Amino acid sequence: MAIDEMTAPAGDTGSARPIMKVENLSVVFPRPDASDITAVHDFSLSVTEGEFIGIMGEPGCGKSTAAMAMLGLVRPPGRIATGTVEFLGQDLGKLDEEELRAIRGKDIGMIVQNPRHSLHPMIRVGTQISNVYRAHNDVSKQEAWEHSIEMLRMVGINDPERRVKAYAHELSSGMAQRVLIAIALSSQPKLLIADEPTSGLDVTIQAQFLDEMWDNVQKTRSSVVLVTQDLGIVANYCDRVVIMHQGTIVEVAEVHDFFNSPQHEYSKAILGLQRRAQEKGVAIAKVDEKAPPLLRIEDLTMHFPIRASKSKVHAAEQVSFEIKPGECLGLVGESGSGKTTVGRCLLRLEEPTSGSINFHDVDLASVSREEFRKNRANMQIVFQDPLDSLNPRWTIKQVLEEPLKLHSDMDQEQRLDRIRELLKLVGLEESFVQALPKEISAGRQQRVSIARAIASNPDFIVLDEPTSALTPETTAEIIELLIDLSNKLGIAYLFISHDLTTVKFICHRVVVMYLGQIVEIGTKDQVFETPRHPYAKALLSAHLFPDVANRRVDREVRESLQGEIPSPITENLPKGCYLFGRCPSQVEKCRNMPQELTELEDGRLVRCWRVQEGELTD
Amino acid sequence: MIWRFVVRRVLIAILQLVGISLVVFFLIRLLPADPVARLVGFNATQVAYDQAEAALGLNKSVIQQLGDYLGIMSTAKYDGIAQGYLGDSWVTGSPISEEIGRFLPVTLELITYSLLIAFLIAVPVGITSAMRPDGVGAKITFFWGLFAGSQPEFWWGLMFVFFFFTWWWEQFGFFLAPAPLGRINPMLIEPAVITGFILVDSILSLNFEAFVDAAWHLMLPVFTLVFIVSGPIIKMIRQNMVRVLRSDFILYARSCGLPSRSVSLYALRAAMAPAMTLIGIFYGFLLGGAVPIEVIFALGGLGEYSIRSILSFDYPAIQGTVLIIAMVSLLVYLTIDILHAFLDPRITF
Ligand SMILES: Nc1ncnc2c1ncn2[C@@H]1O[C@H](COP(=O)(O)OP(=O)(O)O)[C@@H](O)[C@H]1O
Ligand code: SF4
Ligand SMILES: [Mg+2]
């Protein structure tokens, strides 16, 4: 519907005006001792007025290089080998350096990947924003400086008068990201090229920013070319999708067509999980509801002391839940909500401040380290970045052999057999045993970490963002593998992720955390279909599911949370409900009334008195 | 903040200096050398030998000698390091600190000027050759580096003396450079020693004749050093600059449409900070590394002094020289680190 409105501007002949036309663009990087690499090959794309285009593709496929080359820029020593770029009817190749400069950053805005490295490390952020502003506007230094403060305020940075004097390394990557957004939007470009502009941001802020960009496109009829790895963003905002693979465009499609009937093999791989689920019905097996719990944690609390200060970081506050054998429990929340801390406490990678962890009838929180180690065979963890957790000098064989030596008394022969078996279980070929971690792809590395985790036959694994560092196609494969392993071996998971799409796929029940507290626990359907706690609602509504039938931009109300999650140090914690200040349903009474996690009629637990008393329905 | 850093660094430096003193003290005593025989001659009588040995304190145990040297639990009549006294030279009998005070400024002057000039040349050359990797500048730099590094520094020193002094005089009948015999024409009135830097002193004492002549005498040794160290310095500045030009923030600055002058300034800013560290490293290196040049031009620098002390087994002088060189190096590193911190906000103390 939205697309129809856009492709038929009032009083026009029917076709919208092209803003940029790229033809046969190729970018080449010379290598001193080998043949050149063609990073982008024959890239052609035309962008029309008011269009929102998404570019997807695996890391290193040339997305960012192509985006830069649209501006006529290449990182040295690369060069643009062939191709033309026409912008508003002008051939950019025919302009001189000064004319090009005047267009860059003014008519074409750019947001690059890696925001912290893209700001100069030794120049104040405000000076850098001012410099860009002054490059395109005839203003004094003072005016430009005030303008910078204004822009920081506009992109929601707290205390802009102080931040404007900061250096890049003093900003979080989310904040640096917003500085780049501020720079790009301030000149109201006709075309915005954005390279993974929201990768450092939390879902709630990501939604705010993309909403604003989309509204802006509608209002001013400017255009956006958005490079992203996230199917959710593409499905919810883009009109057209460009799929790149190994330097070339393999598919350009209208967004609904792309999701409903992808043409190219690689597109199908990207959409793997969605499609296979529809076709074969990949699903995790049902759990025996009557079985006694495998793991029961009660009032788990973790306070980190802050050096030279009386206050503490309240990373987890009285967290309680149960996991049944073979069950997958999802743990979701914004970053900093305490998810990782809970996972790490279970394995005593952090020593919890208080609380109990009952596993196989032993309280892991209070037993000695010695005693605890005996239980480690039954309980494993897989981290987000496989390279961080695999010893870079060990071959895959050594990696897998270690837990076998530690937790079993197999002889060498038996261990080799077991390694073969493990590789087969995680879908790796035997020939990988001699490889080093860095020699194999990220997806395979994660398979190796999973193989290592299941080596000792555990019945419970903590998965901390196991797919967050992976591309959509490998994410799909890893999720399928995890489901498969659970079905075959009966392993239970605590699945920690901020990616609700994968959580929805794999989990039986879901825990939502905010500021170290659980705010809602329920079955997957309860939480995903009808979330009750205001925070859970906002989180779900801000999450971008890759579902073109229900695009966020087509919705009447796009709920989102205002502001940002505060850091959970003692003096920041609200006296009453922790969500007070950001909650769309708050009333004065919430300010000073601490909230309890209480069971509702349908069996779920919610920490909000207004929900408990039936004041908030729908 | 910065003071805490400085104090900490000074304390560490003192520990390092104590360590170095001990190492040198024991190392020279491990040498199979007999400084007493060296002093009194091999034909001296046993009595004369014993007297000399006692005078030098070498008849005491090594531990007692160490105590005398450090000035802690000393059994000697004179002060030690703890009292701020480096001892007297066994050869000349005058205090080591006085002698080093005469020789050290010569070396410092030589390498300070050389490094300053080398940097004034290397920064623009290194940067332009990084910005235009196919340009003439880059090629010249490349061959210069190869050429200058192909021979040891004393060889270049001798070559320049031969060419600019001997050959030039024979060809053209006048001296382009003076004879390599010291810092100033001995017929001139030397300026009073104020800083020990002869150029500075001659200005301070308004002795312009001396200034011109001293500058003339410094010309060739400085030229030789500049010729040798510029190659590697240019190379490192260029590499720095190439790296910076490929960085995300330069690409981003260009994509924002900053004028090329601003982009160059951004790059320069980032490339300069590591170059500072380079100055420090070269300075420390040249304190000992400029010896061949000092010797060829008979400048009378610390390098020459240390060689003389070693050859005559003048233990206190060797110990003193090593200590002073280490002290100057540590001081230079500290200064550079402080400057670096002012340039780069990422460095915190
Ligand atoms: N070792 C630690 N020391 C101090 N604070 C920590 C430590 N680990 C985590 N935190 C803090 O605890 C809070 C919760 O963090 P984390 O568990 O990583 O959340 P999430 O996984 O949801 O991102 C954050 O504010 C984080 O900065
Ligand atoms: S208690 Fe009040 S502030 Fe807290 S979630 Fe409920 S409505 Fe919102
Ligand atoms: Mg985390």
Side-chain angles (χ1 to χ4, degrees), chain A residues 73 75-77 101 104-105 112 114 117-118 120-122 131 135-136 167 169 180 183, chain B residues 245-249 251-252 254-259 266 269-270 273 343-346:
Chain A
L73 289 173
R75 187 189 299 276
R101 182 199 75 68
R104 292 179 189 144
V112 293
N114 214 340
H117 290 128
S118 298
H120 196 292
M122 285 142 74
N131 285 348
H136 301 292
Y167 293 96
H169 70 278
L180 263 60
I183 293 178
Chain B
L245 287 175
R246 289 179 186 186
S247 67
D248 287 339
F249 59 85
L251 198 60
Y252 178 63
R254 296 185 65 200
S255 77
C256 289
L258 282 192
Y266 273 33
R269 181 82 197 259
L343 274 180
D344 191 339
R346 282 169 297 183

Short mmCIF file of all heavy atoms in Angstrom, two decimals, chain A residues 73 75-77 101 104-105 112 114 117-118 120-122 131 135-136 167 169 180 183, chain B residues 245-249 251-252 254-259 266 269-270 273 343-346:
data_model
loop_
_atom_site.label_atom_id
_atom_site.label_comp_id
_atom_site.label_asym_id
_atom_site.label_seq_id
_atom_site.Cartn_x
_atom_site.Cartn_y
_atom_site.Cartn_z
N LEU A 73 34.27 7.31 -3.79
CA LEU A 73 35.37 7.14 -2.84
C LEU A 73 35.74 5.67 -2.69
O LEU A 73 34.88 4.79 -2.70
CB LEU A 73 34.97 7.68 -1.47
CG LEU A 73 34.83 9.18 -1.34
CD1 LEU A 73 34.28 9.55 0.01
CD2 LEU A 73 36.18 9.85 -1.56
N ARG A 75 38.74 3.23 -0.42
CA ARG A 75 39.84 3.22 0.54
C ARG A 75 41.13 2.93 -0.21
O ARG A 75 41.19 2.00 -0.99
CB ARG A 75 39.58 2.12 1.57
CG ARG A 75 40.54 2.10 2.73
CD ARG A 75 40.33 0.86 3.56
NE ARG A 75 38.99 0.78 4.13
CZ ARG A 75 38.63 1.38 5.25
NH1 ARG A 75 39.50 2.06 5.93
NH2 ARG A 75 37.40 1.28 5.70
N PRO A 76 42.20 3.76 -0.02
CA PRO A 76 43.44 3.44 -0.70
C PRO A 76 43.93 2.06 -0.28
O PRO A 76 43.68 1.68 0.87
CB PRO A 76 44.42 4.52 -0.20
CG PRO A 76 43.65 5.42 0.70
CD PRO A 76 42.31 4.87 0.91
N PRO A 77 44.58 1.32 -1.12
CA PRO A 77 45.03 1.66 -2.47
C PRO A 77 44.04 1.23 -3.55
O PRO A 77 44.43 1.08 -4.71
CB PRO A 77 46.33 0.87 -2.58
CG PRO A 77 46.03 -0.38 -1.77
CD PRO A 77 45.07 0.01 -0.69
N ARG A 101 33.09 17.36 -3.71
CA ARG A 101 33.13 17.59 -2.28
C ARG A 101 31.86 18.29 -1.80
O ARG A 101 31.29 17.97 -0.76
CB ARG A 101 34.34 18.46 -1.95
CG ARG A 101 34.53 18.74 -0.50
CD ARG A 101 35.41 19.93 -0.24
NE ARG A 101 34.76 21.20 -0.51
CZ ARG A 101 33.75 21.69 0.20
NH1 ARG A 101 33.28 21.03 1.21
NH2 ARG A 101 33.21 22.85 -0.12
N ARG A 104 29.09 15.66 -1.57
CA ARG A 104 29.26 14.70 -0.47
C ARG A 104 28.94 15.35 0.85
O ARG A 104 29.45 16.44 1.15
CB ARG A 104 30.71 14.22 -0.40
CG ARG A 104 31.13 13.37 -1.55
CD ARG A 104 32.59 12.98 -1.38
NE ARG A 104 33.07 12.34 -2.59
CZ ARG A 104 34.31 12.50 -3.06
NH1 ARG A 104 35.17 13.23 -2.42
NH2 ARG A 104 34.66 11.89 -4.17
N GLY A 105 28.15 14.69 1.64
CA GLY A 105 27.87 15.21 2.96
C GLY A 105 26.79 16.28 2.94
O GLY A 105 26.34 16.72 3.99
N VAL A 112 28.52 5.55 8.09
CA VAL A 112 29.37 4.39 7.82
C VAL A 112 29.31 3.40 8.97
O VAL A 112 28.87 3.71 10.07
CB VAL A 112 30.84 4.80 7.57
CG1 VAL A 112 30.94 5.59 6.30
CG2 VAL A 112 31.36 5.60 8.75
N ASN A 114 31.03 0.89 11.75
CA ASN A 114 32.17 1.09 12.63
C ASN A 114 32.32 2.54 13.10
O ASN A 114 33.36 3.15 12.90
CB ASN A 114 33.43 0.70 11.86
CG ASN A 114 34.45 0.09 12.76
OD1 ASN A 114 34.37 0.29 13.98
ND2 ASN A 114 35.36 -0.63 12.20
N HIS A 117 35.48 4.05 15.00
CA HIS A 117 36.72 4.21 14.26
C HIS A 117 36.59 5.25 13.15
O HIS A 117 37.56 5.62 12.53
CB HIS A 117 37.16 2.87 13.67
CG HIS A 117 37.62 1.92 14.71
ND1 HIS A 117 37.14 0.65 14.82
CD2 HIS A 117 38.49 2.08 15.73
CE1 HIS A 117 37.69 0.06 15.86
NE2 HIS A 117 38.52 0.91 16.43
N SER A 118 35.37 5.66 12.88
CA SER A 118 35.17 6.61 11.81
C SER A 118 35.25 8.05 12.29
O SER A 118 35.27 8.97 11.49
CB SER A 118 33.83 6.36 11.13
OG SER A 118 33.83 5.07 10.58
N HIS A 120 37.52 10.89 14.20
CA HIS A 120 38.95 11.08 14.45
C HIS A 120 39.23 10.90 15.94
O HIS A 120 38.55 11.49 16.77
CB HIS A 120 39.34 12.49 14.01
CG HIS A 120 40.82 12.66 13.86
ND1 HIS A 120 41.67 12.62 14.94
CD2 HIS A 120 41.59 12.83 12.77
CE1 HIS A 120 42.90 12.79 14.51
NE2 HIS A 120 42.89 12.91 13.19
N PRO A 121 40.23 10.07 16.27
CA PRO A 121 40.45 9.76 17.68
C PRO A 121 40.97 10.94 18.51
O PRO A 121 40.87 10.92 19.73
CB PRO A 121 41.48 8.63 17.64
CG PRO A 121 42.15 8.76 16.33
CD PRO A 121 41.13 9.32 15.39
N MET A 122 41.54 11.95 17.85
CA MET A 122 42.21 13.00 18.62
C MET A 122 41.53 14.36 18.50
O MET A 122 42.10 15.36 18.92
CB MET A 122 43.66 13.11 18.15
CG MET A 122 44.50 11.96 18.67
SD MET A 122 45.69 11.39 17.49
CE MET A 122 46.85 12.69 17.56
N ASN A 131 33.05 20.94 11.84
CA ASN A 131 33.82 21.00 10.60
C ASN A 131 32.99 20.58 9.40
O ASN A 131 33.06 21.20 8.34
CB ASN A 131 35.06 20.10 10.69
CG ASN A 131 36.13 20.71 11.57
OD1 ASN A 131 36.05 21.89 11.92
ND2 ASN A 131 37.12 19.93 11.96
N ALA A 135 31.76 22.93 6.35
CA ALA A 135 32.19 22.61 4.98
C ALA A 135 31.06 22.88 3.99
O ALA A 135 31.29 23.05 2.80
CB ALA A 135 32.62 21.14 4.90
N HIS A 136 29.83 22.91 4.49
CA HIS A 136 28.70 23.09 3.57
C HIS A 136 27.87 24.32 3.86
O HIS A 136 26.93 24.61 3.13
CB HIS A 136 27.81 21.85 3.62
CG HIS A 136 28.52 20.59 3.26
ND1 HIS A 136 28.98 20.34 1.99
CD2 HIS A 136 28.88 19.51 4.00
CE1 HIS A 136 29.57 19.16 1.97
NE2 HIS A 136 29.54 18.64 3.18
N TYR A 167 35.83 12.90 23.23
CA TYR A 167 36.56 12.29 22.13
C TYR A 167 35.91 10.95 21.81
O TYR A 167 35.21 10.38 22.65
CB TYR A 167 38.02 12.07 22.50
CG TYR A 167 38.78 13.36 22.69
CD1 TYR A 167 38.94 13.92 23.94
CD2 TYR A 167 39.30 14.03 21.59
CE1 TYR A 167 39.61 15.11 24.11
CE2 TYR A 167 39.97 15.23 21.75
CZ TYR A 167 40.13 15.77 23.01
OH TYR A 167 40.79 16.94 23.15
N HIS A 169 36.78 7.92 21.74
CA HIS A 169 36.94 6.75 22.60
C HIS A 169 36.15 6.88 23.89
O HIS A 169 36.00 5.92 24.62
CB HIS A 169 38.42 6.52 22.91
CG HIS A 169 39.00 7.55 23.82
ND1 HIS A 169 39.43 8.77 23.36
CD2 HIS A 169 39.21 7.56 25.15
CE1 HIS A 169 39.89 9.47 24.38
NE2 HIS A 169 39.76 8.77 25.48
N LEU A 180 27.18 9.95 14.18
CA LEU A 180 27.21 9.84 12.73
C LEU A 180 25.84 10.11 12.12
O LEU A 180 25.72 10.75 11.08
CB LEU A 180 27.69 8.44 12.31
CG LEU A 180 29.17 8.34 11.97
CD1 LEU A 180 30.02 8.74 13.13
CD2 LEU A 180 29.51 6.94 11.54
N ILE A 183 25.33 13.80 12.10
CA ILE A 183 26.06 14.47 11.03
C ILE A 183 25.33 14.27 9.70
O ILE A 183 25.14 15.20 8.93
CB ILE A 183 27.50 13.92 10.94
CG1 ILE A 183 28.28 14.32 12.19
CG2 ILE A 183 28.19 14.44 9.68
CD1 ILE A 183 29.70 13.79 12.22
N LEU B 245 46.06 7.25 6.22
CA LEU B 245 45.25 7.58 5.04
C LEU B 245 44.28 6.46 4.69
O LEU B 245 43.28 6.68 4.02
CB LEU B 245 46.15 7.88 3.83
CG LEU B 245 46.86 9.22 3.90
CD1 LEU B 245 47.82 9.38 2.74
CD2 LEU B 245 45.86 10.36 3.91
N ARG B 246 44.59 5.24 5.13
CA ARG B 246 43.67 4.14 4.86
C ARG B 246 42.64 3.97 5.96
O ARG B 246 41.82 3.07 5.90
CB ARG B 246 44.45 2.83 4.75
CG ARG B 246 45.27 2.78 3.51
CD ARG B 246 46.05 1.50 3.41
NE ARG B 246 46.90 1.60 2.25
CZ ARG B 246 47.64 0.63 1.80
NH1 ARG B 246 47.64 -0.53 2.42
NH2 ARG B 246 48.37 0.80 0.73
N SER B 247 42.70 4.80 6.98
CA SER B 247 41.87 4.55 8.15
C SER B 247 40.43 4.93 7.88
O SER B 247 40.11 5.67 6.96
CB SER B 247 42.41 5.33 9.33
OG SER B 247 42.22 6.70 9.06
N ASP B 248 39.56 4.41 8.71
CA ASP B 248 38.14 4.68 8.60
C ASP B 248 37.83 6.16 8.72
O ASP B 248 36.99 6.69 8.02
CB ASP B 248 37.37 3.93 9.70
CG ASP B 248 37.30 2.45 9.44
OD1 ASP B 248 37.47 2.06 8.27
OD2 ASP B 248 37.10 1.67 10.39
N PHE B 249 38.56 6.85 9.64
CA PHE B 249 38.13 8.23 9.87
C PHE B 249 38.50 9.17 8.74
O PHE B 249 37.86 10.19 8.54
CB PHE B 249 38.59 8.76 11.24
CG PHE B 249 40.07 8.75 11.47
CD1 PHE B 249 40.84 9.81 11.03
CD2 PHE B 249 40.68 7.70 12.13
CE1 PHE B 249 42.20 9.82 11.26
CE2 PHE B 249 42.03 7.71 12.36
CZ PHE B 249 42.80 8.77 11.92
N LEU B 251 38.54 8.16 5.48
CA LEU B 251 37.53 7.85 4.46
C LEU B 251 36.22 8.53 4.82
O LEU B 251 35.54 9.12 3.97
CB LEU B 251 37.35 6.33 4.40
CG LEU B 251 36.68 5.79 3.15
CD1 LEU B 251 37.50 6.14 1.93
CD2 LEU B 251 36.51 4.28 3.25
N TYR B 252 35.88 8.47 6.10
CA TYR B 252 34.61 9.08 6.53
C TYR B 252 34.66 10.60 6.37
O TYR B 252 33.71 11.21 5.89
CB TYR B 252 34.30 8.70 7.98
CG TYR B 252 33.05 9.33 8.49
CD1 TYR B 252 31.82 9.02 7.91
CD2 TYR B 252 33.07 10.26 9.52
CE1 TYR B 252 30.66 9.62 8.35
CE2 TYR B 252 31.92 10.86 9.97
CZ TYR B 252 30.72 10.54 9.38
OH TYR B 252 29.57 11.14 9.82
N ARG B 254 36.26 12.27 4.25
CA ARG B 254 36.08 12.59 2.83
C ARG B 254 34.63 12.40 2.42
O ARG B 254 34.09 13.18 1.64
CB ARG B 254 37.00 11.73 1.98
CG ARG B 254 38.48 11.99 2.25
CD ARG B 254 39.36 11.21 1.31
NE ARG B 254 39.18 11.66 -0.07
CZ ARG B 254 39.50 10.93 -1.13
NH1 ARG B 254 40.01 9.73 -0.98
NH2 ARG B 254 39.32 11.41 -2.33
N SER B 255 34.00 11.36 2.94
CA SER B 255 32.62 11.11 2.52
C SER B 255 31.67 12.18 3.05
O SER B 255 30.56 12.33 2.57
CB SER B 255 32.17 9.72 2.97
OG SER B 255 31.86 9.74 4.34
N CYS B 256 32.12 12.92 4.06
CA CYS B 256 31.30 14.02 4.58
C CYS B 256 31.54 15.30 3.79
O CYS B 256 30.96 16.34 4.10
CB CYS B 256 31.64 14.32 6.03
SG CYS B 256 31.07 13.06 7.14
N GLY B 257 32.44 15.25 2.82
CA GLY B 257 32.69 16.43 2.02
C GLY B 257 33.56 17.47 2.68
O GLY B 257 33.47 18.65 2.37
N LEU B 258 34.46 17.06 3.59
CA LEU B 258 35.40 18.02 4.15
C LEU B 258 36.38 18.45 3.05
O LEU B 258 36.78 17.63 2.23
CB LEU B 258 36.19 17.40 5.30
CG LEU B 258 35.52 17.27 6.65
CD1 LEU B 258 36.57 16.90 7.69
CD2 LEU B 258 34.85 18.56 7.06
N PRO B 259 36.79 19.72 3.04
CA PRO B 259 37.77 20.17 2.04
C PRO B 259 39.08 19.39 2.20
O PRO B 259 39.41 18.97 3.31
CB PRO B 259 38.00 21.63 2.38
CG PRO B 259 36.91 22.02 3.30
CD PRO B 259 36.36 20.79 3.92
N TYR B 266 43.61 16.45 9.32
CA TYR B 266 43.16 15.31 10.13
C TYR B 266 44.23 14.21 10.10
O TYR B 266 44.59 13.63 11.11
CB TYR B 266 41.86 14.72 9.56
CG TYR B 266 40.58 15.35 10.06
CD1 TYR B 266 40.51 16.71 10.38
CD2 TYR B 266 39.42 14.60 10.18
CE1 TYR B 266 39.33 17.27 10.81
CE2 TYR B 266 38.23 15.15 10.61
CZ TYR B 266 38.19 16.50 10.92
OH TYR B 266 37.01 17.04 11.34
N ARG B 269 47.49 15.18 11.94
CA ARG B 269 47.28 15.13 13.38
C ARG B 269 47.47 13.70 13.91
O ARG B 269 48.12 13.48 14.91
CB ARG B 269 45.85 15.63 13.62
CG ARG B 269 45.43 15.70 15.04
CD ARG B 269 45.94 16.97 15.65
NE ARG B 269 45.89 16.86 17.09
CZ ARG B 269 44.95 17.41 17.83
NH1 ARG B 269 44.02 18.13 17.26
NH2 ARG B 269 44.95 17.24 19.13
N ALA B 270 46.89 12.75 13.19
CA ALA B 270 46.95 11.37 13.66
C ALA B 270 48.33 10.76 13.44
O ALA B 270 48.77 9.92 14.19
CB ALA B 270 45.89 10.53 12.97
N ALA B 273 51.52 11.95 16.23
CA ALA B 273 51.72 11.47 17.59
C ALA B 273 52.72 10.31 17.65
O ALA B 273 53.64 10.34 18.46
CB ALA B 273 50.38 11.10 18.20
N LEU B 343 49.08 15.45 22.99
CA LEU B 343 48.61 15.34 21.61
C LEU B 343 47.46 14.35 21.48
O LEU B 343 46.57 14.53 20.67
CB LEU B 343 49.76 14.86 20.71
CG LEU B 343 50.69 15.91 20.16
CD1 LEU B 343 51.75 15.27 19.29
CD2 LEU B 343 49.90 16.93 19.35
N ASP B 344 47.50 13.28 22.26
CA ASP B 344 46.55 12.20 22.05
C ASP B 344 45.67 12.01 23.28
O ASP B 344 46.12 11.53 24.30
CB ASP B 344 47.30 10.90 21.75
CG ASP B 344 46.36 9.82 21.27
OD1 ASP B 344 45.15 9.93 21.53
OD2 ASP B 344 46.84 8.87 20.63
N PRO B 345 44.40 12.38 23.17
CA PRO B 345 43.51 12.31 24.33
C PRO B 345 43.23 10.89 24.79
O PRO B 345 42.70 10.69 25.87
CB PRO B 345 42.22 12.96 23.83
CG PRO B 345 42.26 12.82 22.35
CD PRO B 345 43.71 12.88 21.99
N ARG B 346 43.58 9.90 23.96
CA ARG B 346 43.30 8.53 24.37
C ARG B 346 44.23 8.07 25.49
O ARG B 346 43.97 7.10 26.18
CB ARG B 346 43.46 7.57 23.18
CG ARG B 346 42.27 7.61 22.27
CD ARG B 346 42.59 6.87 21.01
NE ARG B 346 43.68 7.52 20.29
CZ ARG B 346 44.12 7.11 19.11
NH1 ARG B 346 43.60 6.04 18.56
NH2 ARG B 346 45.09 7.74 18.50
#
